[in-house]
Amino acid sequence: MLHLTDVLLLGDHRLRDRCEPVTGNDLNSMAEILPGLHNIIIEFQAKYQAGRAIAAPQVGYMKRLVYMYIDKPVVFINPCFT
């Protein structure tokens, strides 16, 4: 299970790497990563009274995946921000 201490810090070279899209082959690993991302958001909110989302690359999972939790969890798979 992922925890707040697993978040990559600014300056980590992996945060600049281009991520791969999520494919059907990634579904098993997503079942493992999503609870961890949820756990990190809850820990962050408890500690800092802030935080709404985390991208999977922030914990070293180099796929295009964003987990957002405001009132309920929302997962963005292969988002395209413009």
Side-chain angles (χ1 to χ4, degrees), residues 30-57:
M30 282 180 46
E32 296 173 14
I33 193 81
L34 290 176
L37 294 176
H38 176 81
N39 191 48
I40 289 172
I41 286 294
I42 297 304
E43 283 184 48
F44 193 90
Q45 289 174 346
K47 186 171 183 175
Y48 299 106
Q49 289 75 48
R52 296 177 185 243
I54 186 167

Side-chain angles (χ1 to χ4, degrees), residues 47-64:
K47 186 171 183 175
Y48 299 106
Q49 289 75 48
R52 296 177 185 243
I54 186 167
Q58 289 177 269
V59 294
Y61 183 73
M62 306 311 284
K63 295 288 183 170
R64 297 177 190 163

